[in-house]
Amino acid sequence: MTTQTAPQNLSCAVTGSQDYLNYIGGKWVPAKSGKTFKNVNPADPSDMVGTFPASGEADIQEAILAAKKAFEQWRLVPAPKRGEIMFKAGNLLIERKEELARAMTREMGKVVAETRGDVQEAIDMVFYAAGEGRRLFGETTPSELVNKFCMTVRQPLGVVGLITPWNFPMAIPSWKIAPALICGNTMVLKPASDTPLSSILLVQIFEEAGVPPGVINLVCGSGSEAGMPLMKSENVKLISFTGSCEVGRIVNETCAPDFRHVTLEMGGKNACIIMDDANLELAVEGVVWGAFGTSGQRCTATSRVIVDRKVHAKVRELILTKMKTLKLGYGLNDGVNIGPVVNEAAMNKILEYIEIGKAEGADMLAGGSRETTAGSGWFVQPTLFDNVKSTMRIAQEEIFGPVTALIPVDGLKEAIQVANAIDFGLSTAIYTKDVNQAFTALRDLESGLTYVNAPTIGAEVHLPFGGMKNTGNGHRDAGQTALDTFCEWKSCFVDYSDSLQKAQIDD
Ligand code: NAP
């Protein structure tokens, strides 16, 4: 079935193919050039998901202008009223959760239980941010002078640019859209080219909920053709980016000359430490879920398992046993735990890393190949390397696939040293029953997220999300910290003394 419908038809998104459009100034429109690109189901490349506008600078500029115009009104809408619209959007997401999840599995491959979680994260974030509409607190504080009142207030930035990756195609756009909206900004979203559909369906829900025209604009297209002009525009006050370090560096450098704000959430090489006193069954369950869920394509995926040598053999055996239970296939089919990776290039990159691991001398104990029995798509077998040295490339570089590395160590001190001996700092975990070891790890692991007796994945929207070192630039998505991203602070002073008072100068 191929249809030309605008706005987009959700049931067709789940099973059919349609020509999708950009959303600019409250209208669904094609790219000005008329160019499109196709997206297919990664589990079955003969299943065409749809065509999408291959937009460029002219589309981006139109979207920025629409956002700029809408800002004049939106910034003055009381934040609790903005929140009411967002609560409506949250309820629509709940109503359509199953269909949205199924469309997302088809679009990017992860199994439907996980895409339901992706939609749920968007629901949680929209409700959380909507509630902040009644809480965008500032401070009042005593003045150092008499008859003077001091307070701080938050103010929106203006037009913000949101550039998002494909692995959480609804959750991550929502992490940016929802706080940006509640703070009174208007925006242009450039979704990943592998997953524009989920963003389109999300934006359509905000439209239906009553977000006024021009407040949210969505422009599909490649990073270089659509992302670059968005970053370069002087009308865009902030670029909020999530993606790879390579592209994050380009974003940072592009926005630096005119000091425009940039938030960067980038790659990870996350470690799970298993101590000898841990509940090993629980730890291994966490490792297998953390390493192979979403086919390892999570920024927080467990790509290193740092195990105390005393339990190394046992942990290895338990992981291998558990891996045998994993079923690869189309994520909408019953009983499937692992879907395909997102596209052919991603599959080839993962297979190359597997060859690198073998050449480096690591012992490959399971997996190692493309899986052709799971379907015609881009399936990679869950792969376990053992006796990996911390300096090997497979222990240092982000593979972004279902590959993990067992690294044996002697005790907590070495475990923490190895965990920290990388350029990234997103997520870490430790399994231990010893409270002293747990708190030492919480203090010393260099990562934005640390879990005790839980896997490296499992963020919650009301806590800050992001990383140290090359994972980020000091900002955080989600939590209260997201409000700081999307606001400027203003310190306000009201002098009611009827005289000139000079701070720090008058006695
Ligand atoms: P990516 O290749 O860096 O792309 C991210 C976004 O940037 C996409 O929308 C992409 O557009 C766009 N882009 C690419 N080149 C650009 C350019 N020159 N100018 C402007 N925009 C450009 O990352 P990805 O493959 O989508 O996502 C995987 C990466 O994201 C991994 O490294 C993962 O760790 C990271 N990630 C981090 C977090 C976190 O919170 N720390 C969360 C999720 C994912 P196209 O799609 O058109 O190329």
Side-chain angles (χ1 to χ4, degrees):
M1 173 171 68
T2 300
T3 56
Q4 285 260 6
T5 31
Q8 340 295 339
N9 176 329
L10 179 54
S11 59
C12 198
V14 180
T15 52
S17 175
Q18 49 186 322
D19 300 331
Y20 292 94
L21 300 167
N22 289 331
Y23 184 61
I24 299 179
K27 294 198 170 63
W28 292 94
V29 293
K32 287 185 183 305
S33 65
K35 289 186 193 159
T36 58
F37 63 96
K38 291 179 188 161
N39 263 357
V40 298
N41 176 345
D44 172 9
S46 69
D47 174 25
M48 173 123 115
V49 171
T51 69
F52 298 85
S55 317
E57 173 146 20
D59 306 289
I60 286 286
Q61 292 306 346
E62 192 183 359
I64 293 170
L65 283 183
K68 199 173 169 198
K69 189 162 167 238
F71 179 65
E72 289 315 314
Q73 296 300 319
W74 184 246
R75 75 190 176 96
L76 301 177
V77 174
K81 294 278 174 216
R82 292 182 212 135
E84 282 171 20
I85 297 174
M86 292 168 65
F87 280 124
K88 280 189 203 148
N91 285 326
L92 288 169
L93 280 165
I94 291 174
E95 268 172 35
R96 295 183 199 158
K97 178 174 169 180
E98 186 61 22
E99 280 181 300
L100 294 170
R102 297 180 84 78
M104 191 189 300
T105 293
R106 182 176 175 229
E107 178 180 40
M108 58 75 71
K110 66 185 170 187
V111 297
V112 70
E114 292 188 46
T115 53
R116 284 185 198 119
D118 199 304
V119 181
Q120 186 59 46
E121 219 166 303
I123 294 167
D124 295 342
M125 178 49 89
V126 168
F127 281 127
Y128 172 64
E132 289 306 309
R134 290 194 180 269
R135 267 196 307 268
L136 283 177
F137 297 137
E139 299 163 324
T140 60
T141 178
S143 167
E144 62 191 59
L145 298 171
V146 293
N147 294 334
K148 194 169 178 185
F149 185 86
C150 300
M151 62 185 165
T152 59
V153 293
R154 293 176 180 275
Q155 295 198 322
L157 296 165
V159 179
V160 297
L162 315 176
I163 301 182
T164 52
W166 50 265
N167 63 335
F168 282 86
M170 195 163 282
I172 291 180
S174 80
W175 287 5
K176 299 182 187 300
I177 292 174
L181 269 183
I182 200 67
C183 293
N185 301 282
T186 58
M187 63 209 74
V188 179
L189 167 67
K190 204 300 283 173
S193 297
D194 280 308
T195 53
L197 175 57
S198 298
S199 294
I200 285 171
L201 297 175
L202 178 65
V203 167
Q204 191 174 1
I205 281 176
F206 280 112
E207 178 194 26
E208 251 182 89
V211 172
V215 171
I216 302 177
N217 302 275
L218 176 146
V219 180
C220 305
S222 73
S224 53
E225 298 292 318
M228 194 50 108
L230 180 61
M231 294 189 307
K232 283 189 168 164
S233 170
E234 61 183 18
N235 286 318
V236 175
K237 305 300 176 198
L238 158 82
I239 292 288
S240 175
F241 169 82
T242 301
S244 62
C245 290
E246 295 71 30
V247 178
R249 193 179 298 281
I250 298 173
V251 177
N252 215 17
E253 287 172 359
T254 307
C255 295
D258 46 2
F259 310 117
R260 278 174 307 109
H261 299 195
V262 173
T263 70
L264 304 171
E265 296 295 344
M266 300 176 287
K269 189 71 191 173
N270 313 290
C272 177
I273 297 173
I274 304 178
M275 299 309 301
D276 61 341
D277 67 331
N279 174 341
L280 297 186
E281 279 76 18
L282 178 70
V284 164
E285 230 183 310
V287 162
V288 170
W289 166 234
F292 305 124
T294 319
S295 300
Q297 303 166 111
R298 292 175 182 245
C299 51
T300 52
T302 310
S303 48
R304 297 180 298 153
V305 185
I306 300 173
V307 58
D308 192 301
R309 217 177 287 279
K310 294 192 206 87
V311 290
H312 175 200
K314 180 73 183 163
V315 164
R316 179 175 58 207
E317 179 198 317
L318 288 171
I319 295 179
L320 286 169
T321 306
K322 186 97 188 148
M323 284 175 74
K324 290 195 185 113
T325 66
L326 298 176
K327 188 173 166 204
L328 269 76
Y330 185 23
L332 291 180
N333 291 342
D334 287 343
V336 168
N337 318 97
I338 313 271
V341 298
V342 71
N343 59 37
E344 192 170 14
M347 178 183 75
N348 290 336
K349 180 182 156 198
I350 296 161
L351 295 175
E352 262 173 48
Y353 266 110
I354 291 172
E355 292 310 310
I356 289 168
K358 288 198 264 179
E360 284 178 312
D363 301 331
M364 200 184 72
L365 303 184
S369 308
R370 180 175 186 174
E371 179 62 67
T372 47
T373 61
S376 57
W378 299 299
F379 293 94
V380 179
Q381 295 169 340
T383 299
L384 178 67
F385 280 104
D386 192 17
N387 294 318
V388 175
K389 293 197 173 51
S390 170
T391 49
M392 289 178 179
R393 283 184 65 192
I394 56 165
Q396 289 288 324
E397 297 173 20
E398 187 181 43
I399 300 174
F400 225 55
V403 180
T404 198
L406 265 174
I407 308 176
V409 293
D410 294 303
L412 182 65
K413 194 169 171 213
E414 190 185 351
I416 291 175
Q417 268 167 6
V418 167
N420 288 343
I422 48 159
D423 291 335
F424 300 102
L426 184 52
S427 184
T428 49
I430 180 165
Y431 282 85
T432 177
K433 288 182 186 152
D434 180 333
V435 69
N436 295 357
Q437 297 200 117
F439 271 90
T440 303
L442 282 172
R443 184 192 62 199
D444 292 345
L445 286 169
E446 295 168 355
S447 56
L449 312 161
T450 297
Y451 297 86
V452 177
N453 294 325
T456 55
I457 59 184
E460 299 183 31
V461 300
H462 53 298
L463 280 85
F465 184 91
M468 300 178 184
K469 302 199 270 190
N470 289 4
T471 295
N473 63 339
H475 293 272
R476 294 288 186 270
D477 275 349
Q480 291 290 303
T481 40
L483 302 178
D484 289 336
T485 294
F486 289 105
C487 283
E488 291 278 16
W489 278 110
K490 182 176 278 188
S491 298
C492 306
F493 306 86
V494 182
D495 190 322
Y496 54 101
S497 68
D498 225 10
S499 60
L500 174 62
Q501 301 197 81
K502 298 177 192 147
Q504 294 93 44
I505 292 174
D506 290 348
D507 284 335

